[in-house]
Amino acid sequence: MALTRLALICLLVHLCCFGVLVRSVSGAKARHFEWEVEYMYGAPDCLENVVMGINGQFPGPTIKARAGDTVVVHLTNKLHTEGVVIHWHGIRQLGTPWADGTASISQCAINPGETFVYRFKVDKAGTYFYHGHYGMQRSAGLYGLLIVDVEEGKKEPFKYDGEFNLLLSDWWHKGVHEQEVDLSANPMRWIGEPQSLLINGRGQFNCSLAAAHNSGSGGRLGCKFRGNEKCAPNILHVQPNKTYRLRVASTTALASLNLAIGNHKMVMVEADGNYLQPFSVNDFDIYSGETYSVLFHTDQNPSDNYWISVGVRGRQPGTAQGLAILHYQTTTASKLPTLAPPQTPLWNDYVHSKSFSKKVLALSGSPKPPTNKHRRIFLLNTQNRINGYTKWAINNVSLTLPPTPYLGSIKHDFSEAFDQKSPPDTFLNTYDIMRPPSNPNATYGNGVYMLKFNNTIDVILQNANALNANVSEIHPWHLHGHDFWVLGYGEGKFSKKDEKKLNLKNPPLRNTVVIFPYGWTALRFVTDNPGVWAFHCHIEPHLHMGMGVVFAEGVHLVGKIPNEALSCGLTGKMLMGEKHN
């Protein structure tokens, strides 16, 4: 009997290491994972390179849970020379702000050889993902999907027969550390456009799958993958006359994308974990940090297969489309589609992009925003110079992060840990957003926007011209710890008359939103989640170059922060002092 019990315990421990559902007597559920982060060799686009993986996988393992579950990830850093953290993108971290996974904001970086336990509740069903949030480790491949289903006994407001997940990313052959040096050089060396677009970690460099259907290949795949299935195109297997849910997440470092399925219409039903008023599209734009769910019906010729295409938007494309195959199981999977892949709209067709964005509205019955605001913050996005170095800045301040995480330093009142002067709430009304800055010089800063708890905050994201004339870039902005209502988009500089255009009736709840060139985007959120939260452009090089701000709210209400999240900078010295005492 004792031996049997011991064997059972060993089996449970073994299962726990790989991820297993544990149910308590009360019915609460926890999903445990043991993860090791390390560099490894891979060939995401058929060209061997160094990638960042988890447990030998790239992309990292997909986490599946139900709303209300607790996710527990024991993350061990197996990198030899650098720290690591993981951000759980779209998870609000209610009551667990130290688990947000932002180095120098919510926690210390996990040092080589150390383990940090992320424990948090996934409170809302939806499509999410996770990624590295230290240096530019997302560009190195540290990412994966996090799918949260509805609670047992509950149903989605739409029906489908099966589902697929697509994680979109972009890929460079130049290593991430060299990219960081390039961006920090004087003069800056721009990283250029990605070599490949990846779908679930797979792409094809210098290999035209799209042209293969005209190559006389007799329906055989026109590219050689050197026996490496890991870079062969993804194949989604479907049955005719069924409805499928396609979950799509973009963790790109730079590229804004557009997705289409050949000859198949799609219905948008979810964005960033929030239900939408359904609407039909032939294609849709997806910016870095965004997630969507779409429904499509397999109503096409069942003797054919069809391309799923992903192309670049908002930048002059120097990267070929990413491609996957929708395979009708009534024919063979190796048969190439007879129709060419759907063409991506012109990269600078912003009319197309804005039309789509304005159709994204909340499903009837969704939470509505408060009618009035307590505070409004204008955030002017500009490209600047500091001592000759090219930087991005917000209200003329380029963000630099301190060695002591804000969460611990504010909680323990270490006023010397960061600049106590609040960043500016606005910018000069005389600033001309249509031209390069008359004074391009900015300053470094690490101050924090201190927000009153349970207040309603409006943010106006204002885009402007970059350093070069006639250049204004797309910027997708992501807020940690919250969802926000997207109240509207507009052209030029936001003014009093634009307030009448704001949508308080059915604005969508999002955690990531785009500002278009020379335009503005208006957001509203409630400061109801005690913690310190990053708000930043989700383009990796832009954040690396200072394009972000930090919000703090109700930090006095935060519970005991784990020592592992405090063991650096001034808070680390405090802990060491306690141990010596």
Side-chain angles (χ1 to χ4, degrees):
M1 177 68 71
L3 184 61
T4 303
R5 187 173 300 162
L6 178 61
L8 179 60
I9 292 171
C10 289
L11 176 61
L12 289 173
V13 170
H14 178 73
L15 288 173
C16 184
C17 291
F18 291 95
V20 66
L21 177 66
V22 177
R23 301 171 187 266
S24 70
V25 176
S26 64
K29 303 170 187 177
R31 298 175 188 269
H32 290 261
F33 302 88
E34 297 276 351
W35 281 4
E36 293 183 345
V37 176
E38 59 191 335
Y39 285 109
M40 51 184 271
Y41 283 109
D45 61 0
C46 301
L47 189 72
E48 187 175 71
N49 217 319
V50 172
V51 302
M52 192 170 275
I54 297 174
N55 293 355
Q57 295 183 45
F58 166 79
T62 296
I63 291 178
K64 291 209 73 171
R66 287 191 178 275
D69 285 354
T70 297
V71 172
V72 185
V73 178
H74 296 252
L75 188 77
T76 300
N77 180 0
K78 303 290 282 188
L79 309 173
H80 296 297
T81 58
E82 60 190 289
V84 71
V85 295
I86 286 186
H87 169 56
W88 314 93
H89 188 107
I91 305 302
R92 292 181 290 179
Q93 300 294 347
L94 299 170
T96 53
W98 52 83
D100 188 49
T102 46
S104 294
I105 298 176
S106 63
Q107 70 171 106
C108 300
I110 307 163
N111 288 324
E114 292 183 350
T115 298
F116 183 84
V117 180
Y118 288 101
R119 182 186 299 270
F120 55 89
K121 181 176 282 191
V122 288
D123 64 302
K124 189 170 60 169
T127 306
Y128 308 102
F129 63 103
Y130 61 85
H131 60 80
H133 216 294
Y134 180 67
M136 288 175 58
Q137 290 177 344
R138 175 158 56 95
S139 295
L142 185 53
Y143 44 72
L145 283 164
L146 198 172
I147 306 299
V148 182
D149 289 319
V150 294
E151 302 95 323
E152 286 190 52
K154 289 194 174 182
K155 293 183 178 179
E156 306 269 16
F158 43 82
K159 294 181 179 179
Y160 52 96
D161 300 302
E163 70 175 59
F164 302 98
N165 306 324
L166 295 184
L167 180 61
L168 311 180
S169 54
D170 41 14
W171 186 249
W172 281 258
H173 294 163
K174 180 179 283 190
V176 67
H177 297 122
E178 190 176 350
Q179 289 185 41
E180 290 175 350
V181 173
D182 284 348
L183 294 169
S184 302
N186 185 6
M188 179 194 71
R189 302 181 183 185
W190 179 239
I191 62 172
E193 300 306 303
Q195 275 66 66
S196 307
L197 300 178
L198 307 184
I199 300 177
N200 291 341
R202 297 182 180 194
Q204 296 80 42
F205 172 66
N206 202 20
C207 163
S208 180
L209 280 176
H213 76 285
N214 288 326
S215 66
S217 60
R220 291 176 286 105
L221 207 55
C223 294
K224 296 179 180 178
F225 301 105
R226 304 182 186 93
N228 186 356
E229 284 299 315
K230 292 182 179 178
C231 68
N234 288 266
I235 300 176
L236 279 56
H237 305 284
V238 297
Q239 293 288 343
N241 299 314
K242 301 286 185 182
T243 298
Y244 290 91
R245 178 182 190 170
L246 184 65
R247 298 179 184 263
V248 187
S250 176
T251 186
T252 55
L254 175 65
S256 302
L257 301 174
N258 177 276
L259 184 143
I261 307 174
N263 267 30
H264 290 71
K265 283 190 173 292
M266 297 172 284
V267 176
M268 314 298 297
V269 292
E270 179 228 340
D272 297 353
N274 298 286
Y275 296 126
L276 300 179
Q277 196 175 103
F279 65 100
S280 178
V281 295
N282 293 318
D283 61 80
F284 65 92
D285 287 348
I286 180 167
Y287 303 99
S288 177
E290 291 187 328
T291 68
Y292 287 105
S293 283
V294 303
L295 302 180
F296 67 92
H297 193 65
T298 50
D299 55 2
Q300 296 302 301
N301 183 346
S303 62
D304 281 339
N305 293 325
Y306 300 86
W307 291 112
I308 300 170
S309 69
V310 176
V312 172
R313 302 280 279 120
R315 303 182 66 84
Q316 183 82 47
T319 312
Q321 283 183 317
L323 295 169
I325 294 174
L326 186 71
H327 165 228
Y328 276 65
Q329 290 180 294
T330 42
T331 188
T332 176
S334 61
K335 179 184 178 183
L336 281 182
T338 56
L339 297 174
Q343 281 203 327
T344 302
L346 287 175
W347 70 273
N348 56 356
D349 182 357
Y350 294 116
V351 172
H352 186 88
S353 301
K354 293 171 185 178
S355 173
F356 168 75
S357 291
K358 290 174 182 178
K359 290 177 184 175
V360 178
L361 299 169
L363 184 66
S364 177
S366 299
K368 292 182 182 294
T371 305
N372 299 306
K373 66 184 183 301
H374 294 98
R375 180 177 176 182
R376 174 176 282 166
I377 299 172
F378 289 85
L379 298 179
L380 176 68
N381 294 227
T382 55
Q383 192 180 42
N384 298 81
R385 289 199 177 93
I386 302 179
N387 300 324
Y389 292 89
T390 304
K391 298 293 176 184
W392 287 93
I394 304 303
N395 294 348
N396 218 45
V397 178
S398 186
L399 180 65
T400 58
L401 296 175
T404 303
Y406 291 109
L407 183 64
S409 58
I410 296 174
K411 173 75 173 175
H412 294 286
D413 199 25
F414 284 123
S415 58
E416 63 270 40
F418 61 92
D419 186 356
Q420 294 300 294
K421 182 182 177 182
S422 178
D425 270 27
T426 189
F427 58 96
L428 288 175
N429 192 47
T430 55
Y431 191 95
D432 187 352
I433 68 162
M434 303 304 293
R435 291 180 173 82
S438 56
N439 177 6
N441 297 312
T443 59
Y444 292 115
N446 60 21
V448 175
Y449 288 92
M450 298 291 185
L451 308 178
K452 290 183 179 179
F453 191 61
N454 267 335
N455 270 17
T456 299
I457 308 297
D458 275 12
V459 175
I460 308 297
L461 291 165
Q462 179 67 63
N463 213 341
N465 201 101
L467 285 170
N468 294 325
N470 303 312
V471 175
S472 183
E473 297 189 24
I474 277 177
H475 299 292
W477 275 75
H478 170 59
L479 178 59
H480 294 227
H482 303 78
D483 284 346
F484 49 71
W485 289 275
V486 182
L487 303 186
Y489 306 87
E491 310 294 328
K493 190 187 294 184
F494 184 87
S495 64
K496 199 79 175 171
K497 70 179 187 304
D498 291 315
E499 294 193 23
K500 297 176 182 177
K501 304 175 186 176
L502 300 182
N503 174 18
L504 299 180
K505 179 184 176 184
N506 58 352
L509 269 170
R510 305 295 303 265
N511 62 57
T512 304
V513 72
V514 65
I515 43 172
F516 293 107
Y518 301 110
W520 55 263
T521 299
L523 320 175
R524 179 167 292 179
F525 72 98
V526 177
T527 56
D528 56 2
N529 190 7
V532 183
W533 309 106
F535 183 41
H536 62 89
C537 177
H538 210 260
I539 292 175
E540 191 84 311
H542 292 182
L543 175 59
H544 182 75
M545 299 165 70
M547 200 173 193
V549 298
V550 178
F551 293 148
E553 64 198 66
V555 179
H556 63 288
L557 299 173
V558 173
K560 183 177 179 352
I561 303 170
N563 287 348
E564 295 84 355
L566 301 170
S567 57
C568 56
L570 289 173
T571 48
K573 292 178 181 178
M574 177 199 73
L575 285 174
M576 290 301 294
E578 287 180 355
K579 289 177 182 178
H580 290 314
N581 292 335

